[in-house]
Amino acid sequence: MKHLLITAAFCLGGTAALAEFRLDARYTDADGDMVADIPTDPAELVDPAELIFAYTPVEDPAVYAEAWSDFLAHLEEATGRPVQFFPVQSNAAQIEAMRAGRLHVAGFNTGSNPLAVACAGFRPFAMMAAEDGSFGYEMEFITHPDSGIETVEDIRGKTMAFTSETSNSGYKAPSALLAAEYGMEAGTDFTPAFSGAHDNSILGVANRDYDAAAIANSVLTRMVERGVVSMDQIRSIYKSQTFPTTGYGTAHNLTPELQDAIREAFFSFDWEGTSLAEEFGKSGEAQFIPITFAEHWAVVRDIDAAMGVSYDCN
């Protein structure tokens, strides 16, 4: 399988206007760390009696509500208030919920992190990692073994599933790759379909609803471990470089004390024997590690620039 070089995605500079990352006008960044400052005016701070938590959109929210149950119990104990799991239906809905003040703690997927930071005042500080501190996932192009697709070039003329336009591995990175390395554009060289989630794309390929799909392989690994799909139903024809995984953080306007308590909850959580370890251990994760948006999401912002992504918040 071929591997995507970071520079390969950036050959689109001549065909798309480069996007400059910036926060929405409602936020400030006095310290230059690329995320919204915590308000200094006490009147702008919020201290909710109940915290709302949302994980990135998935095909079956009930599975992940259970997976997060032990961590959320730990978060309740650390913050001294109840925590509600909020199943979101799309990346856009998740961003809008935080922007509107209805979402306090969240995991935003790789591709929607920059939009959440820019438009919703999201302050990411953690990411899942393996026991040895390694982290990340790869974008893969998958197909059904009987599809007749053997190489990336064979996608031409077929139906290619993406997740949503805010997804890194589910749309932005594969679109940049297909255009820059293979000269293929959606709607001209292949028929695009949007499934809404990596789980949906994987199931769609396994059930032959789509000829091929661009997916995050960490999701595929967990689905295989759960027995939802079998590798007999899937063949990978492309694997990318490693990207950062879901970023976890808070809304910018929670009180500093509450933000500190939430952060401490992530880093003090003991994974061993928990529902979180049972689910995410299937793809190798075993702890939360600290991250910064400026450093860890640089490659994703570069892909956004190659794609001409706009950070306008309407």
Side-chain angles (χ1 to χ4, degrees):
M1 291 179 291
K2 291 186 65 178
H3 288 260
L4 169 65
L5 297 176
I6 291 177
T7 54
F10 309 146
C11 299
L12 297 178
T15 60
L18 296 184
E20 179 184 356
F21 182 82
R22 64 182 183 278
L23 299 179
D24 189 54
R26 64 165 66 184
Y27 310 116
T28 62
D29 179 22
D31 57 7
D33 64 356
M34 302 186 76
V35 300
D37 298 328
I38 300 173
T40 55
D41 183 352
E44 297 179 8
L45 295 172
V46 297
D47 190 18
E50 179 182 59
L51 291 174
I52 307 300
F53 171 86
Y55 180 60
T56 186
V58 292
E59 186 268 336
D60 188 353
V63 169
Y64 286 89
E66 173 58 29
W68 281 98
S69 60
D70 286 347
F71 173 80
L72 296 187
H74 175 72
L75 183 60
E76 288 184 342
E77 183 176 350
T79 60
R81 62 200 75 198
V83 181
Q84 178 182 338
F85 183 89
F86 173 50
V88 292
Q89 301 303 312
S90 69
N91 296 317
Q94 188 180 19
I95 292 171
E96 177 54 34
M98 181 164 284
R99 181 176 171 89
R102 300 191 304 271
L103 177 60
H104 309 119
V105 188
F108 282 96
N109 70 10
T110 305
S112 64
N113 243 266
L115 284 169
V117 170
C119 295
F122 179 54
R123 290 171 55 87
F125 57 75
M127 179 166 55
M128 290 182 181
E131 191 91 30
D132 63 2
S134 60
F135 61 85
Y137 70 94
E138 291 77 42
M139 177 268 291
E140 294 196 37
F141 287 172
I142 61 170
T143 185
H144 191 278
D146 298 329
S147 68
I149 298 175
E150 302 292 334
T151 66
V152 174
E153 288 87 348
D154 294 335
I155 293 172
R156 196 179 298 272
K158 303 293 198 306
T159 298
M160 175 75 171
F162 299 107
T163 57
S164 68
E165 292 185 348
T166 58
S167 174
N168 178 65
S169 58
Y171 178 70
K172 292 187 287 189
S175 295
L177 171 74
L178 286 168
E181 294 241 327
Y182 298 95
M184 283 193 274
E185 299 282 352
T188 300
D189 301 292
F190 60 90
T191 301
F194 288 91
S195 71
H198 291 280
D199 315 51
N200 295 342
S201 290
I202 293 165
L203 285 170
V205 168
N207 294 324
R208 310 188 193 201
D209 297 324
Y210 308 126
D211 297 315
I215 57 97
N217 59 8
S218 57
V219 179
L220 175 60
T221 299
R222 294 196 297 272
M223 292 178 71
V224 170
E225 287 290 326
R226 290 202 308 270
V228 178
V229 295
S230 164
M231 286 307 297
D232 292 340
Q233 300 171 280
I234 302 289
R235 185 173 72 245
S236 176
I237 59 172
Y238 185 92
K239 185 176 181 179
S240 77
Q241 68 184 84
T242 299
F243 293 110
T245 61
T246 297
Y248 299 91
T250 62
H252 81 293
N253 59 346
L254 300 182
T255 64
E257 296 78 14
L258 181 54
Q259 292 195 43
D260 288 344
I262 294 168
R263 180 189 293 262
E264 175 60 24
F266 274 85
F267 298 131
S268 65
F269 181 66
D270 183 358
W271 283 56
E272 187 174 358
T274 67
S275 57
L276 203 64
E278 183 178 354
E279 176 61 26
F280 289 93
K282 294 167 184 172
S283 50
E285 282 103 351
Q287 63 174 320
F288 290 108
I289 60 170
I291 56 96
T292 67
F293 176 71
E295 175 188 353
H296 291 87
W297 260 261
V299 64
V300 180
R301 294 192 303 272
D302 285 343
I303 290 173
D304 281 355
M307 290 291 294
V309 170
S310 170
Y311 298 107
D312 292 334
C313 309
N314 298 319

